Amino acid sequence: MVLDADLAGSSDCCTRALEGSGSAVQELLKWNGWGYNDSKFIFNKKGQAEFTGKRYRLGGMVLPTFKEWIEKTFGASLEHKTTSRTSLNVNDVPPSVVNEEFLQDLRATKISYSQDAEDRVFRAHGHCLHEIFVLREGMFKRIPDIVVWPVCHEDVVKIVELACKHNLCIIPFGGGTSVSSALECPEEEKRTIVSLDTSQMNRILWIDEKNLTACVEAGIVGQDLEKQLAESGFCTGHEPDSMEFSSLGGWVATRASGMKKNIYGNIEDLVIHIKMVTPRGIVEKNCQVPRMSTGPDIHHFIMGSEGTLGVVTEVTIKIRPVPEYQKYGSVVFPNFERGVACLREVAKQRCAPASIRLVDNAQFQFGHALKPQVASIFTSFLDGLKKFYITKFKGFDPNILCVATLLFEGDREKVLQHEKQVYDIATKFGGLAAGEDNGQRGYMLTFVIAYLRDLGLDYYVIGESFETSVPWDRVLDLCRNVKERIVRECKEKGVQFAPLSTCRVTQTYDAGACVYFYFAFNYRGISDPIHVYEQIERAAREEILANGGSLSHHHGVGKLRKRWMKESISDVGLGMLRSVKEYVDPNNIFGNKNLL
Amino acid sequence: MKCYTPVIYKGLSPCKPHAIKSAVLQSEQVQYVIKQLAKELGESPDIIQEEATEILDEMGHRMQLGAVRFFAFTLSKIFKQLFQRVCVNEEGMQRLQHAIQEHPVVLLPSHRSYVDFLMLSYLLYTYDLALPVIAAGIDFLGMKIVGELLRRAGAFFMRRSFGGNRLYWAVFAEYVKTMLRNGYAPIEFFLEGTRSRTAKTLTPKFGLLSIVMEPFFKREVFDTYLVPISISYERILEESLYAYELLGVPKPKESTSGLLKARRILSDNFGTIHIYVGQPVSLRTLASGRINRCPYNLVPRHLPQKPSEDIQEFVSDVAYKMELLQIENMVLSPWVLVAAVLLQNLPAMEFELLIEKTLWLKGLTQTFGGFIEWPDNLCAKKAVLSGLTLHSNIACLVDGHVVLNDKGVEDGAVGEIVFRRALAVLMCATYRNQLLNVFVRPALVAIALQMAPSFRKEEVYSCFSFLRDVFSDEFIFFPGISLKDFEEGCFLLTKCDAIQTSQQEIYPTDKGSGTVSFLSAMFRPFVEGYQLIFRYLSKEMKEAFNEKQFIPGARNFVFQLLEKGSTQCYEALSSDMQKNALSALVQLGAVKRKKTPNGFTYNVNQEAVSKILDMFDARIPVQKPVAARL
């Protein structure tokens, strides 16, 4: 049995559904960090790292080498600890200002709502570093004044009508996993801010097996969607790293991308029909067809609109039969260059498995540090043998080599055939097959990293991830330059210990790749770590743009990356988007100020 | 034998010279051009590929440690014969050592002598640093064995002009960039393009600089360090050769037998060499905020792309900045001061007076930021004497007077006398010239003060600006900052109490009249020389002409005037000045330059030239829009 827990697989991650009233959902989740309350990294009494809770297979396991890694990588020490406030101080929370007439109208609709401080704070942020930092140590200047929980499309229509009538500001809220400051309330917003929580609109309305589509309410969370579809033998195959918490509507609003897009496509490939409520009325197409030539696709005004135009209420999405067989895999390359060359070749031959990722050496070591204690001597002996073969016999330098992780899906026979094809290509680039175990651990890293940030925060380590997409010929230069830029900026800004600056090529396309960076540093000795952090992140983004990378591949723009929009899509392009906004929402009811 | 284990670039993937060549041939960049040419010329790509291989073989270096050691050994012997000392700034070498490990490095030395690159390689070898590959002129290949030896020591060769040859350009550019990207070795070339025959920094060439900057623009490297290096010679090996050349006696072609003859000079003494390795300048820092990234993001990086205007401007700015840094760090020997004083007191001057004036000039030079090597405790007399000893071929001490050494003056025809004198003056000027770029800003202000009809600031500035434009090829000015240069000149003159400024006026002080007249006398050869050449052009050149006609014509014109005794401006015989003057007129629009298959032809606009002449004589006021900020 494989001991490493897989936090990724939708079928076996979390067993408890998020049900009950809107307020009940948030009780399962941390108020000041990522994920479930009961799941987190801690250092146990022996000083060893451990992951708590029973939700994940990693739960209750000891990670013997992790402490050393964290100390070595960040120069952090367990003795130097910061502590977050244990609970929200209700007195700090800005008061709820809601006009009584609106409340009367709202009550008449029978839509449930809350003006409770905790409910409002919970919906005042996403998961950017600075937002979490504020939760731990300060308070937001502006938060929603009221939270509403519509349960269906008609409820949303009523709420939007009321908002127009009373001139309120609506900020749609799905899973709250944004990492672009998209959920932050504009400080200067004087109107009442209504947080429209879609979590109660979570039903699958119908499944059409003939056309392989399903119509789903937009508030459904990724893992629930897959679980419910699985009951009928289907899946969407859309698995963004946040799928435990993020919602269908959120995916549409940010142009999300899933890990297995090579088989299933990104959200723009998956969506067949969208219903959105705007201040102008409802926007939708008149049919559910695979493609149409009726001018610019209006879906593309909606996808990536980041809550500035309206609320997505119902989405018809493509579904597929649940695959018969799944297999992880991994390949070790002597260096990153060879690895990228291999991925490029795989993309060229259009034989990419469901997922193929290439992590650099630092991230490989990171993954290694998260290896749980092995149960038997035999396993550890085997590990030693593997290591010996790769480093001594094959001459790979453990400080240079890198690893590609693979996930195959489909018929058993085809998977095995496909696997062979990919491994054959890898061999041409000096790659060595390195087992399923390593592959699985690679995917796990994506999911635990969010939990890890909370642990880091306790020990003066702050970090974040960011992503971009880039043409193939620039991948290597971009990765090298951005990592180097981060290291330099840290040095210049007085960060005392060299940062963790690592990347992975996380998606492949015909014409380029998506690259994902992790960056974290020890901030002891720095008076304003968040400011320093933001400057470095900004420099890193400048570097990406100078290297021919995009502003974002799937995180979106939000408010965090707005300053580069003009450069990214030109003046005229920005004007086109503005004019849509002006027509659809002339009074800026959807006033979260994202994107434009 | 010395153990040579140089520090190298951290990102270096070691490879042999021939591996670089094949990487260049296979590169997308070169392949693209080959395919393009094949299509256009209707020839098979193989033939063009062949041609590219030939180009590469002609060009490429074959650095071998054996050859390097051989060179190091012989050079150390030869250098010890020729020179007394070689002084290097240690901290500069240390900075260089760090830089070489961090990012690709481009070495940009000044170019006064063939010794430059030999000395620099020798120095890096001695300091255990990675040896540079050097862009050398193709003419070196004419020297039989030596050319090949240089090649093995890391020199690669470029044709002097290949503007029109796309294949050559592609192969050459890719060759240089490949070596830079790999961090294979520091790349060394001369911004000035050729040895300055006058010891005055030449205006920069941009071609190679823009090639080495491109990998950064395209983000193929994280950064590139540009290292200005100033090499100054107490006595320049080629001094008399240069003087002959400037006077039109043709330069001997590089040949091995010539080199052997040059052995004669081994018995001579050439004093001290000063090498100042400047602070490595990060290209990334220079470019931050200046480069629009779009053009590089929207076109595949291997396609040849004409640099946009802002890139061209940036390259030019960087080139000038590097040359100004070279000038700033150039070590000046006492003899340079002596030469400057002596040239104002020809043909002879009292020894004591010379010492006194030299000492005074030392102070002034230091005020202006000149970097003088004046050994501690060395009294002025000794310093001057040692300079005279070293340069006994130029001047000598006779009966308490220092006399310019123009042997054969008594017994020759008039022409011979003029030629001899010119030779001596030009040789002497070579040393004074090393001061000029340090002095040029205050000096032009001083001359402008004398030219301007009044002391009003804007009138002085107009004259200054006019002079700066006229001399833009003669001296090194950072492009487009005339006003800043003016302010700097005024500041330096105020600092030495030569002028006073008020809100509206600038006027010389009584105390400073000596300084002002010294400065204007220092630059008089240029002011007068340009006027002579302009006069020649406006009077004699009614029809289109080319450079081959112009230089001898101008020389004869000046020569006759000198024979008649109606001018004393021997420096106007210098072909360098003649070329600069012509190019100044082209830039001022008074001469039209046209490109023809056989080089350039020129057409003089008589009226415009005589107008410029009138401005010089202050017969008409300088017409220039006055900067509003003044």
Side-chain angles (χ1 to χ4, degrees):
Chain A
M1 184 193 131
V2 184
L3 285 169
D4 295 338
D6 165 35
L7 303 187
S10 57
S11 47
D12 56 14
C13 59
C14 160
T15 49
R16 261 183 83 178
L18 297 172
E19 276 163 5
S21 82
S23 289
V25 175
Q26 78 203 45
E27 259 144 47
L28 291 174
L29 303 178
K30 290 196 193 78
W31 71 275
N32 64 349
W34 179 261
Y36 300 106
N37 266 324
D38 53 11
S39 305
K40 62 180 175 232
F41 284 95
I42 56 157
F43 285 107
N44 64 22
K45 281 174 196 139
K46 283 194 229 154
Q48 283 178 314
E50 204 181 307
F51 193 68
T52 65
K54 287 180 186 154
R55 290 175 188 277
Y56 302 92
R57 276 203 256 161
L58 194 64
M61 284 191 193
V62 172
L63 314 164
T65 57
F66 187 65
K67 181 174 162 230
E68 194 198 327
W69 178 83
I70 216 174
E71 285 170 346
K72 207 180 81 198
T73 310
F74 297 107
S77 152
L78 296 196
E79 270 117 63
H80 302 292
K81 204 166 184 272
T82 67
T83 39
S84 162
R85 276 195 315 235
T86 48
S87 63
L88 186 68
N89 187 351
V90 177
N91 297 329
D92 293 346
V93 177
S96 162
V97 181
V98 186
N99 147 351
E100 191 50 43
E101 288 161 32
F102 167 67
L103 278 181
Q104 271 175 12
D105 283 351
L106 187 62
R107 279 185 213 114
T109 64
K110 303 264 193 303
I111 295 168
S112 66
Y113 70 92
S114 162
Q115 288 171 276
D116 175 69
E118 281 178 30
D119 289 338
R120 291 189 294 123
V121 169
F122 189 85
R123 286 158 188 81
H125 66 86
H127 281 270
C128 285
L129 176 72
H130 66 268
E131 293 169 318
I132 300 303
F133 219 79
V134 167
L135 284 172
R136 287 168 65 98
E137 298 188 356
M139 182 39 66
F140 300 106
K141 293 215 174 74
R142 186 75 170 93
I143 66 167
D145 296 293
I146 183 168
V147 182
V148 296
W149 282 277
V151 297
C152 61
H153 171 78
E154 286 67 33
D155 281 356
V156 175
V157 173
K158 285 178 205 157
I159 294 166
V160 173
E161 272 168 7
L162 285 184
C164 292
K165 178 177 164 198
H166 295 278
N167 190 25
L168 312 178
C169 169
I170 298 179
I171 298 184
F173 182 91
T177 56
S178 145
V179 282
S180 59
S181 302
L183 287 169
E184 263 177 49
C185 299
E187 262 174 51
E188 65 284 0
E189 181 58 71
K190 296 280 187 296
R191 302 171 294 182
T192 293
I193 297 182
V194 181
S195 177
L196 190 154
D197 186 322
T198 59
S199 63
Q200 303 313 301
M201 307 197 298
N202 57 3
R203 290 166 299 165
I204 297 179
L205 299 177
W206 46 256
I207 295 177
D208 176 352
E209 297 191 13
K210 288 204 186 73
N211 295 308
L212 286 177
T213 54
C215 183
V216 188
E217 287 184 315
I220 196 165
V221 169
Q223 60 171 325
D224 295 343
L225 175 60
E226 291 302 71
K227 208 181 311 149
Q228 287 173 38
L229 284 174
E231 285 164 15
S232 326
F234 293 103
C235 68
T236 64
H238 185 69
E239 292 185 14
D241 294 351
S242 59
M243 69 167 295
E244 296 165 274
F245 309 107
S246 58
S247 68
L248 174 58
W251 301 338
V252 170
T254 54
R255 288 181 72 85
S257 170
M259 184 180 93
K260 298 195 289 198
K261 73 95 191 151
N262 292 336
I263 293 184
Y264 301 97
N266 288 317
I267 196 73
E268 67 272 21
D269 311 310
L270 284 165
V271 159
I272 294 293
H273 186 265
I274 303 172
K275 199 188 265 186
M276 177 162 82
V277 181
T278 76
R280 274 276 169 199
I282 294 157
V283 53
E284 63 179 324
K285 294 184 187 173
N286 72 332
C287 53
Q288 310 220 4
V289 294
R291 183 177 193 274
M292 54 204 271
S293 176
T294 46
D297 191 338
I298 54 159
H299 283 174
H300 286 283
F301 290 129
I302 299 168
M303 286 188 288
S305 60
E306 303 190 356
T308 57
L309 299 179
V311 186
V312 175
T313 55
E314 289 169 16
V315 178
T316 304
I317 189 166
K318 291 198 247 177
I319 54 171
R320 300 284 305 162
V322 172
E324 170 195 323
Y325 186 62
Q326 250 195 357
K327 192 172 181 191
Y328 288 96
S330 65
V331 181
V332 186
F333 290 98
N335 56 43
F336 194 63
E337 289 75 13
R338 302 285 277 164
V340 171
C342 175
L343 260 65
R344 205 282 161 263
E345 183 60 29
V346 167
K348 199 175 186 175
Q349 297 193 18
R350 292 202 171 160
C351 63
S355 167
I356 178 166
R357 291 174 169 179
L358 180 77
V359 302
D360 68 359
N361 184 267
Q363 217 169 115
F364 161 71
Q365 307 217 3
F366 184 6
H368 223 69
L370 287 170
K371 218 169 174 172
Q373 209 155 27
V374 279
S376 72
I377 296 173
F378 181 68
T379 326
S380 78
F381 172 74
L382 267 185
D383 278 354
L385 213 61
K386 238 188 272 172
K387 196 176 160 193
F388 177 82
Y389 176 71
I390 287 175
T391 60
K392 295 290 185 304
F393 190 73
K394 280 287 175 181
F396 285 21
D397 182 341
N399 293 312
I400 295 178
L401 62 80
C402 74
V403 179
T405 59
L406 311 164
L407 172 60
F408 298 90
E409 233 180 64
D411 304 342
R412 195 184 152 81
E413 209 173 298
K414 275 195 190 140
V415 162
L416 296 178
Q417 208 184 330
H418 193 180
E419 193 185 19
K420 183 169 179 309
Q421 189 187 4
V422 173
Y423 281 108
D424 283 349
I425 295 175
T427 312
K428 281 189 201 133
F429 292 88
L432 290 175
E436 290 181 58
D437 182 16
N438 278 316
Q440 217 169 6
R441 196 170 34 253
Y443 288 100
M444 170 191 74
L445 191 67
T446 336
F447 289 84
V448 292
I449 190 123
Y451 284 101
L452 270 175
R453 186 170 72 187
D454 295 332
L455 178 77
L457 279 167
D458 287 343
Y459 297 95
Y460 290 94
V461 175
I462 51 179
E464 185 77 281
S465 60
F466 52 91
E467 40 70 6
T468 188
S469 48
V470 60
W472 277 115
D473 71 314
R474 294 172 197 251
V475 169
L476 282 175
D477 288 330
L478 181 133
C479 290
R480 182 195 59 234
N481 290 342
V482 172
K483 287 196 279 185
E484 170 115 22
R485 179 77 181 262
I486 289 171
V487 171
R488 294 198 147 215
E489 292 286 332
C490 280
K491 205 165 162 190
E492 269 167 36
K493 303 283 183 306
V495 175
Q496 318 221 321
F497 211 80
L500 173 71
S501 170
T502 158
C503 72
R504 66 164 189 260
V505 178
T506 200
Q507 287 291 9
T508 62
Y509 293 87
D510 287 349
C514 167
V515 182
Y516 209 92
F517 292 90
Y518 289 128
F519 139 58
F521 63 88
N522 180 344
Y523 71 85
R524 288 193 62 215
I526 295 176
S527 56
D528 191 354
I530 291 302
H531 181 63
V532 167
Y533 162 77
E534 279 170 351
Q535 283 179 311
I536 297 169
E537 192 193 21
R538 185 173 162 178
R541 183 58 63 182
E542 288 282 350
E543 192 63 36
I544 286 176
L545 296 175
N547 279 272
S550 66
L551 186 53
S552 171
H553 170 263
H554 59 271
H555 281 179
V557 175
K559 289 178 270 289
L560 195 60
R561 285 175 275 274
K562 255 166 88 164
R563 65 162 68 85
W564 292 289
M565 267 303 268
K566 193 166 116 181
E567 177 186 347
S568 291
I569 62 168
S570 83
D571 260 339
V572 177
L574 206 59
M576 288 162 95
L577 297 187
R578 277 209 185 100
S579 64
V580 170
K581 165 81 180 170
E582 263 157 42
Y583 173 77
V584 173
D585 183 17
N587 299 318
N588 196 27
I589 300 298
F590 290 90
N592 60 15
K593 296 236 165 128
N594 289 340
L595 207 59
L596 299 172
Chain B
M1 194 186 259
K2 186 174 148 14
C3 171
Y4 171 65
T5 46
V7 293
I8 49 173
Y9 173 50
K10 63 178 179 199
L12 174 68
S13 38
C15 59
K16 292 259 183 290
H18 65 81
I20 293 183
K21 283 192 199 169
S22 60
V24 171
L25 273 183
Q26 295 314 315
S27 69
E28 286 173 308
Q29 287 82 345
V30 170
Q31 286 298 324
Y32 176 83
V33 174
I34 287 177
K35 274 181 207 143
Q36 284 279 313
L37 287 174
K39 216 186 284 170
E40 283 168 29
L41 305 173
E43 266 186 271
S44 120
D46 294 344
I47 293 174
I48 296 172
Q49 170 107 4
E50 195 92 328
E51 217 175 294
T53 314
E54 273 163 29
I55 292 174
L56 205 51
D57 284 337
E58 173 194 276
M59 181 162 60
H61 73 85
R62 278 200 297 276
M63 201 196 275
Q64 282 175 349
L65 210 54
V68 171
R69 278 189 220 266
F70 170 79
F71 256 109
F73 178 78
T74 10
L75 284 179
S76 73
K77 301 285 170 211
I78 295 174
F79 287 159
K80 272 176 198 155
Q81 277 287 324
L82 284 174
F83 304 106
Q84 289 169 342
R85 285 185 306 158
V86 178
C87 301
V88 185
N89 63 330
E90 282 281 338
E91 82 284 358
M93 293 306 285
Q94 275 163 19
R95 286 188 303 232
L96 184 58
Q97 185 179 350
H98 284 296
I100 285 178
Q101 291 169 67
E102 247 185 296
H103 298 299
V105 164
V106 178
L107 304 176
L108 300 170
S110 58
H111 204 9
R112 302 287 171 269
S113 163
Y114 283 141
V115 179
D116 289 326
F117 61 87
L118 298 174
M119 183 52 87
L120 202 53
S121 291
Y122 177 64
L123 192 70
L124 294 180
Y125 177 78
T126 317
Y127 275 81
D128 240 6
L129 293 173
L131 282 177
V133 290
I134 308 149
I138 201 99
D139 26 9
F140 273 107
L141 273 183
M143 303 163 80
K144 289 230 163 70
I145 301 152
V146 178
E148 281 310 302
L149 264 176
L150 283 174
R151 203 194 271 283
R152 274 159 216 243
F156 62 96
F157 300 92
M158 61 191 286
R159 294 183 191 160
R160 286 275 174 210
S161 62
F162 49 88
N165 188 337
R166 270 152 69 199
L167 185 64
Y168 192 88
W169 174 259
V171 172
F172 180 77
E174 192 50 29
Y175 184 64
V176 174
K177 284 188 279 185
T178 304
M179 289 192 289
L180 183 98
R181 282 192 293 250
N182 291 356
Y184 176 79
I187 289 173
E188 175 182 325
F189 66 89
F190 300 102
L191 274 174
E192 295 165 88
T194 180
R195 292 170 301 159
S196 165
R197 268 63 168 172
T198 57
K200 195 159 51 59
T201 304
L202 302 174
T203 49
K205 304 276 181 292
F206 306 124
L208 248 170
L209 187 64
S210 69
I211 290 177
V212 298
M213 282 161 81
E214 209 183 82
F216 170 72
F217 292 148
K218 293 184 170 172
R219 292 302 194 276
E220 291 161 339
V221 296
F222 183 78
D223 198 355
T224 303
Y225 276 130
L226 306 175
V227 186
I229 299 175
S230 318
I231 308 177
S232 55
Y233 298 86
E234 208 175 352
R235 188 177 160 204
I236 297 167
L237 205 58
E238 295 99 323
E239 55 177 7
S240 61
L241 263 180
Y242 288 162
Y244 276 105
E245 208 183 296
L246 289 174
L247 289 173
V249 179
K251 159 190 173 188
K253 231 180 144 198
E254 271 84 0
S255 73
T256 309
S257 66
L259 190 79
L260 292 175
K261 273 182 214 140
R263 271 183 36 147
R264 195 164 44 87
I265 57 173
L266 279 181
S267 54
D268 224 338
N269 176 13
F270 287 87
T272 308
I273 302 179
H274 286 279
I275 301 178
Y276 189 97
V277 179
Q279 178 87 41
V281 179
S282 147
L283 181 54
R284 176 174 273 269
T285 312
L286 290 176
S288 96
R290 273 201 67 170
I291 304 300
N292 176 10
R293 42 206 172 205
C294 225
Y296 292 99
N297 286 350
L298 290 179
V299 178
R301 293 186 293 181
H302 67 273
L303 297 191
Q305 202 180 343
K306 193 172 183 297
S308 65
E309 241 161 67
D310 65 326
I311 293 283
Q312 285 179 19
E313 193 187 304
F314 177 67
V315 171
S316 149
D317 284 359
V318 171
Y320 274 99
K321 189 184 166 78
M322 290 299 132
E323 286 202 343
L324 286 168
L325 285 170
Q326 284 177 358
I327 290 166
E328 194 181 309
N329 297 329
M330 191 72 86
V331 174
L332 306 166
S333 69
W335 169 251
V336 165
L337 308 177
V338 174
V341 173
L342 195 58
L343 276 174
Q344 294 192 21
N345 297 277
L346 289 180
M349 84 183 284
E350 219 175 292
F351 183 52
E352 295 300 326
L353 187 64
L354 176 64
I355 293 170
E356 189 190 313
K357 276 283 199 185
T358 303
L359 211 54
W360 170 82
L361 184 56
K362 178 191 166 204
L364 190 66
T365 309
Q366 282 165 338
T367 313
F368 289 170
F371 188 173
I372 300 180
E373 160 75 7
W374 194 290
D376 294 338
N377 311 322
L378 187 65
C379 76
K381 189 173 173 183
K382 272 193 184 153
V384 175
L385 265 179
S386 92
L388 279 170
T389 319
L390 193 64
H391 297 277
S392 55
N393 57 330
I394 296 176
C396 51
L397 189 57
V398 182
D399 299 336
H401 281 74
V402 176
V403 187
L404 197 65
N405 203 343
D406 40 6
K407 265 178 266 164
V409 167
E410 289 78 17
D411 51 276
V414 190
E416 180 68 12
I417 294 172
V418 170
F419 185 78
R420 287 278 151 206
R421 168 63 65 89
L423 213 53
V425 167
L426 285 185
M427 259 156 79
C428 199
T430 304
Y431 294 94
R432 175 216 55 200
N433 283 351
Q434 297 176 29
L435 276 184
L436 294 181
N437 273 307
V438 176
F439 276 65
V440 67
R441 287 160 196 82
L444 290 193
V445 173
I447 298 170
L449 270 175
Q450 295 173 337
M451 269 173 75
S454 79
F455 289 146
R456 282 185 42 233
K457 227 179 200 174
E458 55 266 31
E459 281 179 335
V460 180
Y461 175 66
S462 296
C463 289
F464 173 87
S465 193
F466 164 72
L467 290 168
R468 189 182 179 277
D469 288 346
V470 169
F471 292 128
S472 64
D473 276 5
E474 197 69 51
F475 308 108
I476 304 301
F477 298 105
F478 193 83
I481 55 160
S482 184
L483 187 59
K484 229 178 124 201
D485 281 343
F486 178 67
E487 279 164 357
E488 191 191 320
C490 291
F491 168 75
L492 291 174
L493 285 179
T494 320
K495 207 166 134 193
C496 63
D497 290 329
I499 58 165
Q500 275 188 329
T501 53
S502 69
Q503 228 22 311
Q504 280 90 32
E505 290 195 321
I506 299 175
Y507 43 93
T509 59
D510 298 338
K511 218 174 98 201
S513 63
T515 310
V516 169
S517 59
F518 179 87
L519 290 177
S520 59
M522 190 179 201
F523 284 77
R524 187 162 303 135
F526 295 92
V527 176
E528 283 184 14
Y530 270 54
Q531 283 174 293
L532 287 179
I533 297 159
F534 291 173
R535 256 168 53 203
Y536 164 70
L537 282 171
S538 72
K539 282 196 183 138
E540 314 275 325
M541 291 306 216
K542 309 284 184 212
E543 276 160 32
F545 61 97
N546 59 26
E547 202 174 80
K548 280 201 193 96
Q549 297 164 311
F550 163 66
I551 300 275
R555 189 188 304 128
N556 282 338
F557 178 79
V558 177
F559 206 89
Q560 280 165 16
L561 290 178
L562 283 165
E563 276 182 332
K564 273 188 268 172
S566 48
T567 178
Q568 287 297 311
C569 188
Y570 285 90
E571 291 183 48
L573 286 174
S574 154
S575 57
D576 183 67
M577 185 184 287
Q578 290 153 5
K579 282 180 210 161
N580 289 339
L582 180 61
S583 120
L585 287 183
V586 172
Q587 274 174 41
L588 292 171
V591 169
K592 288 263 171 302
R593 188 168 74 173
K594 254 200 294 205
K595 203 174 176 176
T596 66
N598 320 312
F600 292 108
T601 61
Y602 300 85
N603 259 315
V604 180
N605 177 343
Q606 314 288 348
E607 202 182 326
V609 174
S610 44
K611 210 166 148 197
I612 291 171
L613 271 170
D614 286 348
M615 288 185 200
F616 258 123
D617 296 341
R619 271 197 293 267
I620 58 168
V622 174
Q623 295 293 321
K624 258 254 134 175
V626 173
R629 271 206 306 133
L630 216 75

